[in-house]
């Protein structure tokens, strides 16, 4: 290539077409007349502690197959050492290595060094390919001739351009692209860079001609980090390794600098745990290599967004007070400046970089950090990102804002619903007693105490909140005021429930329903847990009051609120559990068991731990186990029933647990323990008629067991006669006290058989049978006992028969005679029965009772379509096509 001597070319010495300008004494020179720096042409030597990572080396082998390879990662990600180690592993390859110079170098200088790198690795260059004389320019002939030369080689040259992000001239990128495309198989280009190069990468990707290794792949895995630590003489526990990898995100330089610090420490694991990035070599590295490379405006943006965990351009603009964050963040991400794009326009800083920036922010802008958090909180609240807004409000120590954000968003119920309860409790535990003068902070303090089961402390805080609500300066019918009053109503309902004050619960729900009209529908839709909790509180309060119909209405509504939403799982589970308790009180153990198990499945599906669940379903299942004489299982269930959410340990739960425990003790022949279980009573503002009646019946049973029948009868005025289960219990006491006629009259007046379930009707039939037996009417006694036994067997109710006494034995029907199924025709063996699911068995049992599809759906709390699906599956598994055939086949297979 012909060229004139440039202005910086030395006038002495000669020009060798093979080596370029040179001096006989000093060797080849660059276009400025300076000797070529050998360090820029040398492959870096890995340190002794370098860890070869086979997964990356194997990936890098793609450079042998594709024209272009790009290793793109942040500063200190281990890019250069990775490629250098790969080169060392292929000594048979001709590798030309060039570490590019600082920003702004001209095309002439770049190509002069590239040619020198080729010469250094042994590629002979003919006379028509000479080094440029002008440091800033190069003609088109040089890349053309070089492409022709390389295209004629037998095996390719590997050209590594390290720190290629320093090459910013578009003409250099264009010339390299030309060289690569026209060198055929004679060139393999490896770019080691922090940024996306200007080459048309999309074209190479589409053609399958690009091998890429990026930041995510460069990050150390825990296993690799452990081996790196071992290379530094550190043997760490798996937990310590995971901790340092999580903190550094697998960043190679960070791990090595942490290891160097830990090497000198007497307790390496403690050193790594307490490692302070802002006071270490990590800080020096990142400040020099990343922050100080940016202009002043970008540095300021990075310092300010360091208070954010994740952020988009809108939030970054709000915190920094600028309007161009979108372009700056995109540029920083492309430049691998430790700003990571996590998708959908959201970014985050590398944890160590963020830690260092925050320390730098406190030093350069003291006192600014709380204001930045406050700006972020306001922006996030406006955007509807409540959890993040609360976190920044707390970080700003602005508790008035933070509590108001929670209350105004109707998110107060999250203290009680599982998924975020612990987070909110920890967040607001930092709020001091003077954290805000408005009602919202007091409401939040009340909620926090009630969520921990502190009824007295919560009630005091709630009274203060009510008082401050009256002085609240918002508009009388404004959304914020309505939300504050709604929060008070929710907590009032909870206090009423926990204290056993049903009237107060009714008032609270009426207030909330009236306020509902003042709030946006989308706000109510966003928090279905609010009214799920409210209805659950009302249902339980009504249940305590003995308003069973009203309780069932409220609890059914609560169970149907927000199906599938994790935030409503706990109130739905509790509502289902209390509906199951209603079934127990009405003598329907089979339905109670199904509903209780559905309640357990509700929170299991949502991942809520058992201690955060209701506990009532275990009481119900224990009651069912007692009815079936499964006494060990009943004891186990009762022992775990106390592991319930503190805010759900109301009088209903405590009374239910005490009564079932007493029944269990009576079944075990322990009357003293039975009385002890219920004797102390359950503290409440009002008396529950059913709890008082059931307690009186337990006391009467104890008196009867200890030979005091008249004392037992004296307790009967406390037993409500309008509840079938209690009426039957009272009739049994009268019968045991020798007053069978009075017992039968009581059953007749209570119309027990018309309104009760099998656990009640079986006992009622046995009372009538015993009365008939005493009256000498053996036929009636036998008929009534047969009816009772049939009903008891259908539900598996052994307890009612066991407690009847020895008089029943002569009337018991003979054991069931199992008639063999009619023989099948020869050659027609019964098709095997595929195992049925639990739900399919439940549907078949109801099918055997001649229940319609709609009745089965209502009984199982599922849709009609769901029942049809279960039936279809059951028919297929039983190889039948009709209901009657399904029942017959299930009985033959012993499934019913």
């Amino acid at each position: 290539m012909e060229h004139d001597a440039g202005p910086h070319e030395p006038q002495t010495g000669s020009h060798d077409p093979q080596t370029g300008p040179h001096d006989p004494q000093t060797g080849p020179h660059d276009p400025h007349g300076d000797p070529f720096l050998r360090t820029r042409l040398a492959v870096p030597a890995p340190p002794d502690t370098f860890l070869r990572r086979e997964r990356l080396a194997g990936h890098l082998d793609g450079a042998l197959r594709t024209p272009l390879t790009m290793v793109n990662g942040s500063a200190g990600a281990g890019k250069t050492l990775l490629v250098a180690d790969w080169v060392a592993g292929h000594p048979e390859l001709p590798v030309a290595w060039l570490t590019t110079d600082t920003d702004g170098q001209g095309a002439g200088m770049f190509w002069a060094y590239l040619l020198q790198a080729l010469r250094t690795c042994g590629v002979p260059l003919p006379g028509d390919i000479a080094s440029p004389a002008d440091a800033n320019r190069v003609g088109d002939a040089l890349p053309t001739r070089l492409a022709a030369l390389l295209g004629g080689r037998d095996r390719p040259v590997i050209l590594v351009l390290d720190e290629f992000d320093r090459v910013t001239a578009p003409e250099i990128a264009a010339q390299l692209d030309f060289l690569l495309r026209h060198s055929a198989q004679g060139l393999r280009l490896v770019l080691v860079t922090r940024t996306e190069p200007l080459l048309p990468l999309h074209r190479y990707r589409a053609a399958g001609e690009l091998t890429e290794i990026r930041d995510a792949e460069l990050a150390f895995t825990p296993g690799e980090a452990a081996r790196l630590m071992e290379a530094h003489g550190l043997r760490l526990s798996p937990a310590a390794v995971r901790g340092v990898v999580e903190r550094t995100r697998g960043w190679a330089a960070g791990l090595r600098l942490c290891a160097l610090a830990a090497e000198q420490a007497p307790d390496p694991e403690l050193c790594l745990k307490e490692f302070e990035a802002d006071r270490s070599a990590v800080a020096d590295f990142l400040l020099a290599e990343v922050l100080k490379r940016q202009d002043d405006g970008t540095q300021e943006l990075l310092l300010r967004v360091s208070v954010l965990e994740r952020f988009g351009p809108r939030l970054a603009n709000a915190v920094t007070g600028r309007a161009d964050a979108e372009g700056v963040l995109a540029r920083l991400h492309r430049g691998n400046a430790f700003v990571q794009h996590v998708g959908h326009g959201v970014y985050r800083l590398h944890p160590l970089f963020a830690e260092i920036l925050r320390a730098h922010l406190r030093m350069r802008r003291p006192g600014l950090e709380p204001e930045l958090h406050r700006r972020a909180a306001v922006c996030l609240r406006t955007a509807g990102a409540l959890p993040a807004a609360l976190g920044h409000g707390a970080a700003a120590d602005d508790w008035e804002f933070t509590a108001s954000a929670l209350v105004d968003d109707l998110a107060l119920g999250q203290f009680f619903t599982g998924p975020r309860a612990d987070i909110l409790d920890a967040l607001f535990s930092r709020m001091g007693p003077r954290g805000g003068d408005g009602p919202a902070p007091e409401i939040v303090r009340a909620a926090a105490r009630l969520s921990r089961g502190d009824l007295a402390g919560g009630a005091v805080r709630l009274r203060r909140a009510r008082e401050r609500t009256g002085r609240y300066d918002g508009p009388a019918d404004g959304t914020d005021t309505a939300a504050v009053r709604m929060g008070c109503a929710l907590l009032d309902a909870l206090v009423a429930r926990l204290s056993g004050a049903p009237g107060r619960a009714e008032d609270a729900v009426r207030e909330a329903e009236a306020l509902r009209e003042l709030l946006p529908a989308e706000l109510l839709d966003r928090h279905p847990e609010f009214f799920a909790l409210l209805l659950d509180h009302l249902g339980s309060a009504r249940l305590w009051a003995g308003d069973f119909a009203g309780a069932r209405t409220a609890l059914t509504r609560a169970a149907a609120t927000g199906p599938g939403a994790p935030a409503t799982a706990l109130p739905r589970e509790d509502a289902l559990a209390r509906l199951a308790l209603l079934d127990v009180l009405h003598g329907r153990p089979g339905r109670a068991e199904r509903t209780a198990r559905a309640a357990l499945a509700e929170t299991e599906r949502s991942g809520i731990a058992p201690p955060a669940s209701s506990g009532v379903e275990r009481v119900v299942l224990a009651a069912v186990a007692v009815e079936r004489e499964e006494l060990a299982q009943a004891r186990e269930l009762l022992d775990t029933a106390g592991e319930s959410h503190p805010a759900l340990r109301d009088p209903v739960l405590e009374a239910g647990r005490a009564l079932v425990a007493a029944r269990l003790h009576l079944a075990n022949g322990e009357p003293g323990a039975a009385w002890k279980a219920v004797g102390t009573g359950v503290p409440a503002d009002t008396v529950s008629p059913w709890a008082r009646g059931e307690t009186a019946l337990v006391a009467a049973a104890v008196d009867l067991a200890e030979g005091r029948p008249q004392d037992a009868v004296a307790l009967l005025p406390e037993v409500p006669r309008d509840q079938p289960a209690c009426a039957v219990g009272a009739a049994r006491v009268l019968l045991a006290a020798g007053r069978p006629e009075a017992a039968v009259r009581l059953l007749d007046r209570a119309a027990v058989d018309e309104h009760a379930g099998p656990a009640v009707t079986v006992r009622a039939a046995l009372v009538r049978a015993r009365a008939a037996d005493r009256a000498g009417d053996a036929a009636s006694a036998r008929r009534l006992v047969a009816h009772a036994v049939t009903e008891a067997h259908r539900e598996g109710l052994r307890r009612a028969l066991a407690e009847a006494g020895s008089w029943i034995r002569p009337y018991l029907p003979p054991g069931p005679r199992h008639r063999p199924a009619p023989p099948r025709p020869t050659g027609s063996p019964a098709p095997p029965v595929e195992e049925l699911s639990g739900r399919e068995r439940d549907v078949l049992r109801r099918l055997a009772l001649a229940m319609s599809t709609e009745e089965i759906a209502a009984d199982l709390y599922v849709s009609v379509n769901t029942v049809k699906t279960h039936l279809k599956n059951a028919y297929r598994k039983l190889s039948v096509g009709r209901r009657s055939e399904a029942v017959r086949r299930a009985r033959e297979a012993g499934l019913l």
Side-chain angles (χ1 to χ4, degrees):
M1 176 175 168
E2 301 284 343
H3 66 274
D4 297 327
H8 301 286
E9 187 169 341
Q11 300 301 312
T12 58
S14 62
H15 182 97
D16 187 328
Q18 175 68 23
T19 61
H22 70 281
D23 184 282
Q25 302 300 319
T26 60
H29 292 73
D30 65 26
H32 289 310
D34 298 321
F36 285 109
L37 298 174
R38 296 181 180 179
T39 52
R40 292 183 55 194
L41 307 173
V43 179
D48 293 339
T49 55
F50 176 79
L51 177 68
R52 180 178 177 83
R53 295 187 280 171
E54 295 297 338
R55 65 180 177 89
L56 293 179
H59 192 168
L60 202 50
D61 282 340
L64 302 175
R65 298 182 294 274
T66 59
L68 179 61
T69 296
M70 181 177 65
V71 182
N72 187 345
S74 57
K79 307 179 295 296
T80 298
L81 291 180
L82 167 66
V83 178
D85 176 65
W86 177 78
V87 168
H90 292 280
E92 76 285 0
L93 298 177
V95 177
W97 186 286
L98 172 60
T99 302
T100 59
D101 205 345
T102 56
D103 294 345
Q105 72 171 359
M109 184 69 77
F110 172 83
W111 284 100
Y113 262 94
L114 189 151
L115 293 175
Q116 187 63 19
L118 290 171
R119 295 188 192 98
T120 302
C121 80
V123 176
L125 300 180
D128 63 344
I129 302 179
S131 293
D134 189 331
N136 297 312
R137 294 186 303 275
V138 67
D140 293 338
L142 175 56
T144 301
R145 293 171 182 173
L146 185 56
L149 170 72
L150 295 176
R153 289 180 56 85
D154 294 334
R155 61 174 181 163
V157 174
I158 310 296
L159 173 60
V160 179
L161 298 181
D162 191 18
E163 299 186 27
F164 190 71
D165 47 280
R166 296 182 173 186
V167 177
T168 58
E171 65 269 24
I172 296 178
Q175 291 163 348
L176 268 179
D177 179 45
F178 177 88
L179 174 67
L180 192 56
R181 284 189 291 113
H182 293 87
S183 295
Q185 298 299 312
L187 178 65
R188 295 287 184 264
L189 179 61
V190 179
L191 302 181
V192 183
T193 178
R194 298 185 189 181
T195 62
E196 291 278 290
L198 296 176
L199 276 70
L201 299 179
H202 63 280
R203 193 177 65 222
Y204 289 96
R205 287 193 187 100
E209 296 177 340
L210 175 63
T211 297
E212 292 183 83
I213 296 179
R214 291 183 170 269
D215 238 7
E217 194 173 357
L218 290 167
F220 274 65
T221 66
E224 291 168 347
R227 289 163 50 209
L228 178 64
M229 294 298 166
E230 289 175 3
H232 283 267
L234 302 171
R235 292 190 175 275
L236 306 178
S237 67
V241 173
R242 284 195 303 271
V244 73
V245 170
E246 181 177 348
R247 192 171 181 197
T248 60
R249 294 268 167 84
W251 178 44
L255 287 170
R256 287 193 173 90
L257 291 169
C258 287
L260 290 171
E263 278 181 335
Q264 311 302 320
D267 187 341
E269 291 203 5
L270 182 63
C271 172
L272 290 173
K273 186 177 180 181
E274 299 177 350
F275 184 76
E276 296 184 61
D278 59 304
R279 300 182 184 179
S280 68
V282 176
D284 297 337
F285 180 91
L286 288 176
L287 290 175
E289 292 293 325
V290 182
L291 185 63
K292 291 179 181 177
R293 285 190 172 204
Q294 311 301 328
D295 59 69
D296 291 345
T298 303
Q299 288 189 36
E300 189 67 23
L301 179 142
L302 286 169
L303 289 172
R304 291 179 179 233
V305 300
S306 68
V307 304
L308 307 173
E309 183 176 350
R310 294 187 176 207
F311 49 90
R314 182 170 178 266
L315 181 56
N317 283 333
V319 169
T320 61
R322 54 196 293 166
D324 61 346
E326 184 171 10
V328 176
L329 292 173
R331 174 173 57 80
L332 290 169
H333 168 64
R334 288 195 304 270
N336 283 319
F338 286 79
V339 177
Q340 302 163 342
H341 184 244
V342 296
H344 305 290
V346 178
Y347 297 85
R348 68 182 176 194
L349 298 176
H350 188 285
L352 287 181
F353 192 35
E355 189 177 336
I356 292 161
L357 288 174
R358 285 192 293 272
H360 215 51
L361 172 68
R362 295 173 193 131
M363 180 183 67
R364 288 171 55 170
R365 302 284 187 272
L368 180 60
E369 192 171 357
E371 174 60 24
L372 297 178
H373 281 294
R374 191 174 292 106
R375 293 182 191 178
V378 172
C379 178
L380 288 163
R381 183 181 178 186
T382 303
L386 181 66
L390 296 178
H392 284 288
D397 205 29
D398 189 343
W399 296 106
E400 187 71 50
F401 169 90
T402 308
S404 295
L406 183 75
V407 173
D408 293 347
D409 201 70
L410 287 192
L412 194 67
Q414 293 181 0
F415 266 106
F416 310 98
T417 54
R420 286 186 46 77
D422 291 343
I423 297 172
L424 287 179
D425 190 60
L427 181 76
F428 284 101
S429 66
R430 293 148 47 192
M431 179 171 61
R434 300 185 182 277
D437 297 326
E442 283 300 323
I443 293 174
V444 171
R445 292 187 184 98
R449 282 161 176 76
L450 290 171
S451 71
R452 295 191 288 268
D454 180 3
L455 176 59
V460 169
R461 292 292 185 180
L462 182 55
R463 282 196 298 272
R464 291 181 188 173
R466 283 285 192 188
E467 292 168 1
R468 295 184 183 185
T469 302
R471 305 194 302 268
Y472 196 46
D473 12 346
D477 60 348
T479 298
D480 291 350
T481 306
V484 168
R485 291 169 60 195
M486 283 278 272
C488 289
L490 176 66
L491 298 187
D492 265 330
L494 176 56
V495 169
R497 168 192 186 153
L498 294 176
S499 58
R504 182 177 177 182
E506 299 282 357
D507 291 341
V509 174
R510 275 194 294 270
E511 179 184 15
E513 291 287 359
L515 291 167
R516 189 172 191 162
E517 302 301 320
L518 302 177
L519 294 168
E522 63 88 21
L523 183 62
L524 295 166
D525 293 341
R526 193 161 67 236
H527 292 291
E529 76 278 0
F530 191 95
F531 272 90
L533 284 167
L534 201 63
L535 290 166
D536 186 43
H537 299 336
L538 177 63
S540 190
R542 286 175 174 175
L543 177 53
W544 179 249
D547 179 7
F548 291 165
R552 185 172 292 278
T553 298
L555 293 170
T556 301
R557 287 179 62 195
T561 303
T568 60
L570 184 57
R572 287 201 313 273
E573 178 246 7
D574 187 57
L576 285 171
R578 287 163 200 272
L579 286 169
L581 182 59
L582 279 171
D583 288 334
V584 165
L585 294 175
H586 284 94
R588 299 186 177 93
R591 191 164 81 173
E593 179 187 30
R594 294 189 295 275
T595 307
R597 295 200 182 282
L600 284 172
E602 188 69 34
T603 45
E604 287 172 0
R605 280 196 300 269
S606 301
I608 298 178
S613 62
S614 162
V616 176
E617 60 274 86
R618 290 175 174 77
V619 170
V620 169
L621 293 173
V624 173
V626 171
E627 290 287 357
R628 293 173 178 169
E629 286 282 279
E630 297 166 348
L631 304 185
Q633 183 180 1
R635 168 51 55 199
E636 183 180 344
L637 286 163
L638 279 177
D639 289 343
T640 61
E643 299 174 358
S644 59
H645 193 293
L648 300 178
R649 294 172 192 162
D650 61 358
V652 170
L653 170 62
E654 299 303 331
R657 187 167 56 177
L659 289 169
V660 175
R663 291 180 184 178
L664 176 60
H665 286 304
L666 289 172
N668 282 321
E670 302 164 347
W675 173 245
K676 186 177 180 181
V678 298
T680 56
V682 176
D685 289 356
T686 60
V687 175
S688 170
W690 65 267
R692 179 182 61 188
E694 293 284 0
T695 300
L697 289 174
V698 169
V702 171
D703 286 337
L704 290 173
E706 295 178 349
R708 299 186 297 273
Q710 296 312 311
D711 290 347
V713 172
L715 293 169
L716 295 186
E718 296 185 27
V719 180
R721 308 300 170 88
D722 59 341
Q723 295 177 11
C726 289
V728 171
R732 293 177 65 237
V733 172
L734 290 171
L735 181 68
R739 299 169 58 183
E741 297 86 355
V744 172
R745 285 197 300 272
L746 175 56
L747 294 179
D748 291 340
R749 286 196 301 270
V752 168
D753 296 337
E754 299 175 13
H755 306 293
V760 174
T761 56
V762 165
R763 287 182 169 86
L766 292 175
V767 169
R768 295 180 186 277
R770 179 56 169 153
D773 172 68
R774 288 188 173 183
D777 186 355
S780 294
R782 182 169 287 103
R783 175 178 55 79
L784 288 165
V785 168
H787 172 71
V789 169
T790 300
E791 289 295 308
H793 283 172
R794 180 177 291 128
E795 289 275 346
L797 306 178
R798 302 181 185 89
R799 181 64 197 153
L801 299 176
E803 66 190 10
S806 59
W807 67 268
I808 197 175
R809 290 173 186 165
Y811 298 106
L812 289 175
R817 298 173 182 175
H818 298 288
R819 289 178 297 175
R824 291 183 173 272
T826 306
S828 301
V833 176
E834 184 181 340
E835 184 177 356
L836 299 179
S837 70
R839 255 320 186 213
E840 290 160 1
R841 286 172 179 259
D842 289 340
V843 171
L844 274 179
R845 291 190 190 102
R846 285 155 185 77
L847 210 63
L849 298 176
M851 293 175 68
S852 69
T853 304
E854 290 75 14
E855 289 172 333
I856 295 173
D859 199 43
L860 292 177
Y861 293 96
V862 297
S863 70
V864 171
N865 285 337
T866 300
V867 172
K868 290 179 178 178
T869 300
H870 289 314
L871 281 174
K872 181 179 179 181
N873 292 337
Y875 289 172
R876 176 181 57 78
K877 293 178 180 180
L878 294 169
S879 302
V880 298
R882 299 193 312 178
R883 289 180 168 223
S884 57
E885 293 173 348
V887 173
R888 178 184 57 76
R889 180 83 177 96
R891 283 179 173 150
E892 289 175 0
L895 300 176
L896 292 178

